[in-house]
Amino acid sequence: MPRTDARTRGRIGLTTTALLTAAALLPAPAHAEDVTDYAITVDPSAQGAKIDDTMYGVFFEDINRAADGGLYAELVQNRSFEYSTADNGSYTPLTSWTTGGTAQVVNDSGRLNERNRNYLSLGAGSSVTNAGYNTGIRVEQGKRYDFSVWARAASGSTLTVSLKDAAGSLATARQVAVQGGWAKYKATFTASRTSNRGRLAVASTNTAALDEVSLFPRETYKNQPGGLRKDLAQKIADLHPGFVRFPGGCLVNTGSMEDYSASSNWQRKRSYQWKDTVGPVEERATNANVWGYNQSYGLGYYEYFRFSEDIGAMPLPVVPALVTGCGQNKATDDDALLERHIQDALDLIEFANGPATSEWGKVRARMGHPKPFHLTHIEVGNEENLPREFFARFQKFRAAIEAKYPEITVISNSGPDDAGSTFDTAWQLNRDAKVDMVDEHYYNSPNWFLQNNDRYDSYDRNGPKVFLGEYASQGNAWKNGLSEAAFMTGLERNADVVKLASYAPLLANEDYVQWRPDLIWFNNRASWNSANYEVQKLFMNNVGDRVVPSRATTTPNVSGPITGAVGLSTWATSAAYDDVKVTSADGSTLLGDDFSGGASKWTTSGRGSWSVQDGAYVQTDTAAENTMVTAGDAAWKDYDLQVKATKKSGKEGFLVAFGVKDTGNYYWWNLGGWNNTQSAIEQAVDGGKSTLLTKPGSVETGRAYDIDIKVRGRQVTLFLDGKEWGSFRDDKPAEPFRQVVTRDEKTGDLIVKVVNAQPAEARTAVDLGDVRVASTARVTTLAADQDAVNTETDTPVTPVTSTFRGVAKKFTYTFPANSVTFLRIKQR
């Protein structure tokens, strides 16, 4: 049996780890090889779950400038002069442009086409210069760049097009003669030197109109004209994803469901609708991106399908269900509009799969792809918080699609969280209707992922399959990658239930970030893999075809009762607190504060504006987030916390904390969170939060609420205005040692995958059962300090390959501290 003292040493701390390292240099005692920390037992004669080729994929959403300024290789920002305050309050139609002389953006009948509303009128002797993205337009010495512009000049004009930076010219200038009505003009540059700060300038001898000013690197992924940025596309391709989910995400289920036309007054804040994104790029509709910028749709549905095909991945589009989410939470009640969107979904399937002679297959063929894209799955909706309203509409989509295309799998979803009333209601509706597959989403702390390796062990094997469409641990440090790897061993073990899984989001431009963490980071000159990416790549490239049943010993649970001080906080809200009382289980008072004598018992974090007003402790800054103040002792346990809380103004409600150890480790009751739409218990561990309990509900402004939180051991019961609101027990161990074994049918390899997410090595006895194996194994290891983060200039989390020569039916292997290790063992 493994020794308990050895297996718990990773929790002792840095000093002990250093002593252990020093001790390793001393001569080993007799029979030391028999002492192990863990044991893994494999049963190769048993048959585990089959793992589909599409098990792991990627999710692309245009967030963090993932498309324009990212994967879409266009180097000109705001090329069509369509930026608007509808996209971002700071935008104008000339954002990213500077003008010399006379230049103005015009929206009149002289435009290029109805769906491209704006164009630039450039006076005689005038010029415009584009700044690109990040620090500027990136060009590399000797590489070619293709310029194009739509222009007209009734009296004729010569355009001088140049590339330059502050130091001077970057390429020989080109001259383009423009004559008559709208036409497309082209030129090619060869960069004379490398620069990250290039500018594209266009000067005109006479009055001219310009639109769709474009500059593309000749060298794109697969060298597709108007294609994808090569390094980013290659990083995605190197994952060998089984599917690509696109285009969102919140892009799909936010904004108006109307089209882009005169009848909708050229509605700019629309949900992502696929028909806006196909056909010639100069005719594609512009749109406001929910993440606070403009999306040109140069990267659209055709490009998504083509990229999926290029990397051998299954395309998996998501269409609106006419119920908004992501904080908007409104069901569109318009039967004609619903029917139009259902028809759009049917037309999408025809666009992907129909013959080149069909209406929408013809559009695909004209774009350069006469053969079908072989679409097999389509998802309706994304993270809807109104499960019944969503499901009523989903059923209509599903019925129409199954009637015309019975071979297509129609995917539903379970809302934005891993648990709670929305999740439970949505899953029940999906089960009752025998839906084929349900999409789950969650972003939680590393601790949550270590605790929930067994999440899918108890799912109904005969119910709907799971598509884990969005998940991530909250951070890009190695500790986040470790926790995700531990969780993924549970996904593979349950591959009969979890059929698809994709980390999210995929891409982030470091200068335009709306969401963290992200898988791949980039700027205009470079891209780099996060620690999380290395985990995904290791799993995706070593999936196997079937699970081989195995079991491992575990780390003893050393957690005691919930302990900690208490806290008060707000989030973009002003709130007042009064009559705080903390009482121990034996009835003695630990803290009493009615703020009549000030707030000296409380420690502030420095955020927000706290003061005593009218006998209450009030936070008045409605812009400040997480303004927590704390009081008490971190060793407190088994207590009751009572407080009166009143929302004064702002977006949300109030937060009452307990079990507070420090600024990154606590529990809080978040009442009126998520834009005052729901309440939840959240746990923060090392700064990462996860939700333990959630319910819909809002907080009234000006009303005093009585809050009572009873902490007993690891059980917590919560009362609101004297009535029990809910309870939870936080006693799941955050197991740091996880494993799964799969078999690669093509090579015959057993793939032993082990995660050791603790700061001490794990000497492990491995029993492969009655199977003949080669004596060597190919080993791939990821290991680093838990706080290590990959950057543009430093990549501490990098795979290391080696050969292990001690394989037998029974052997011992020492897994490094903070590591993910894959051993590929050949069967004889």
Side-chain angles (χ1 to χ4, degrees), residues 68-200:
D68 296 331
L71 185 60
Y72 186 48
E74 174 66 77
L75 297 172
V76 175
Q77 184 175 176
N78 189 19
R79 67 183 178 189
S80 202
F81 310 101
E82 296 289 345
Y83 277 25
S84 164
T85 52
D87 310 321
N88 186 295
S90 67
Y91 280 1
T92 75
L94 283 171
T95 291
S96 199
W97 294 94
T98 55
T99 61
T102 305
Q104 62 176 334
V105 175
V106 182
N107 179 348
D108 64 16
S109 60
R111 64 180 64 89
L112 178 60
N113 59 66
E114 280 296 287
R115 291 167 69 79
N116 195 332
R117 308 293 293 169
N118 291 348
Y119 65 93
L120 182 74
S121 176
L122 192 61
S126 300
S127 64
V128 289
T129 302
N130 190 266
Y133 297 93
N134 300 95
T135 57
I137 292 172
R138 161 77 174 186
V139 296
E140 294 183 53
Q141 184 177 2
K143 297 289 180 68
R144 300 176 75 186
Y145 297 85
D146 294 322
F147 167 83
S148 65
V149 63
W150 282 83
R152 62 174 170 81
S155 301
S157 181
T158 298
L159 303 180
T160 299
V161 188
S162 58
L163 274 171
K164 56 189 178 182
D165 64 8
S169 174
L170 291 169
T172 302
R174 302 298 183 192
Q175 292 191 330
V176 178
V178 177
Q179 182 67 52
W182 286 108
K184 188 175 184 179
Y185 299 89
K186 300 179 181 180
T188 298
F189 294 95
T190 300
S192 57
R193 57 187 175 88
T194 296
S195 176
N196 300 322
R197 301 178 180 276
R199 301 291 187 267
L200 175 72

Side-chain angles (χ1 to χ4, degrees), residues 413-471:
N413 77 80
S414 59
D417 299 308
D418 59 89
S421 58
T422 295
F423 178 89
D424 293 340
T425 300
W427 256 107
Q428 190 61 52
L429 292 167
N430 285 307
R431 278 192 294 267
D432 291 347
K434 294 181 169 51
V435 168
D436 290 327
M437 188 174 290
V438 177
D439 188 2
E440 293 189 354
H441 294 178
Y442 36 82
Y443 299 90
N444 287 319
S445 68
N447 193 68
W448 185 94
F449 283 95
L450 293 176
Q451 288 179 316
N452 284 277
N453 174 277
D454 63 348
R455 176 178 176 87
Y456 296 105
D457 289 1
S458 59
Y459 271 49
D460 183 0
R461 273 37 210 171
N462 298 313
K465 303 305 180 184
V466 172
F467 172 23
L468 182 48
E470 297 183 33
Y471 74 98

Side-chain angles (χ1 to χ4, degrees), residues 233-483:
Q234 189 61 57
K235 286 184 183 300
I236 299 169
D238 288 345
L239 293 169
H240 295 109
F243 65 89
V244 178
R245 177 179 182 250
F246 61 87
C250 289
L251 298 185
V252 169
N253 70 337
T254 54
S256 167
M257 300 294 166
E258 300 288 343
D259 62 1
Y260 190 60
S261 67
S263 63
S264 70
N265 196 28
W266 307 104
Q267 173 62 248
R268 281 293 289 265
K269 293 188 175 183
R270 309 183 310 282
S271 64
Y272 196 112
Q273 299 174 44
W274 78 270
K275 289 180 180 178
D276 288 341
T277 77
V278 298
V281 291
E282 67 273 10
E283 296 177 8
R284 299 184 189 182
T286 190
N287 200 7
N289 183 307
V290 69
W291 299 113
Y293 55 91
N294 176 271
Q295 48 193 343
S296 72
Y297 288 147
L299 178 58
Y301 258 69
Y302 175 77
E303 289 76 21
Y304 289 129
F305 277 118
R306 189 177 66 187
F307 181 52
S308 300
E309 182 179 71
D310 284 344
I311 63 177
M314 177 183 81
L316 203 167
V318 187
V319 298
L322 273 72
V323 178
T324 58
C326 302
Q328 296 185 1
N329 303 338
K330 180 181 178 182
T332 301
D333 190 16
D334 183 329
D335 289 341
L337 189 58
L338 176 62
E339 288 303 317
R340 193 267 287 176
H341 276 268
I342 291 172
Q343 186 59 50
D344 281 355
L346 297 173
D347 292 344
L348 172 59
I349 298 169
E350 182 177 281
F351 174 79
N353 293 352
T357 53
S358 65
E359 179 183 0
W360 288 101
K362 189 179 299 181
V363 173
R364 182 194 70 237
R366 286 173 180 166
M367 295 182 74
H369 203 286
K371 293 183 179 180
F373 282 118
H374 306 294
L375 178 69
T376 59
H377 293 64
I378 188 170
E379 183 172 357
V380 178
N382 170 78
E383 292 189 9
E384 282 74 22
N385 263 315
L386 303 173
R388 295 189 186 281
E389 291 86 343
F390 158 73
F391 201 74
R393 290 155 181 78
F394 169 84
Q395 285 283 63
K396 294 183 179 181
F397 278 87
R398 181 191 184 198
I401 293 169
E402 289 183 346
K404 189 169 184 179
Y405 299 106
E407 71 279 9
I408 298 292
T409 298
V410 185
I411 302 172
S412 181
N413 77 80
S414 59
D417 299 308
D418 59 89
S421 58
T422 295
F423 178 89
D424 293 340
T425 300
W427 256 107
Q428 190 61 52
L429 292 167
N430 285 307
R431 278 192 294 267
D432 291 347
K434 294 181 169 51
V435 168
D436 290 327
M437 188 174 290
V438 177
D439 188 2
E440 293 189 354
H441 294 178
Y442 36 82
Y443 299 90
N444 287 319
S445 68
N447 193 68
W448 185 94
F449 283 95
L450 293 176
Q451 288 179 316
N452 284 277
N453 174 277
D454 63 348
R455 176 178 176 87
Y456 296 105
D457 289 1
S458 59
Y459 271 49
D460 183 0
R461 273 37 210 171
N462 298 313
K465 303 305 180 184
V466 172
F467 172 23
L468 182 48
E470 297 183 33
Y471 74 98
S473 164
Q474 294 160 339
N476 275 141
W478 179 227
K479 64 185 176 184
N480 302 98
L482 281 169
S483 70

Side-chain angles (χ1 to χ4, degrees), residues 520-553:
I520 301 168
W521 288 83
F522 66 94
N523 50 37
N524 62 343
R525 63 187 177 273
S527 58
W528 56 97
N529 305 334
S530 68
N532 319 67
Y533 173 97
E534 295 298 350
V535 166
Q536 294 293 323
K537 184 178 179 182
L538 186 58
F539 273 84
M540 288 194 203
N541 283 276
N542 296 277
V543 181
D545 300 289
R546 189 173 288 278
V547 175
V548 180
S550 61
R551 64 182 184 276
T553 53

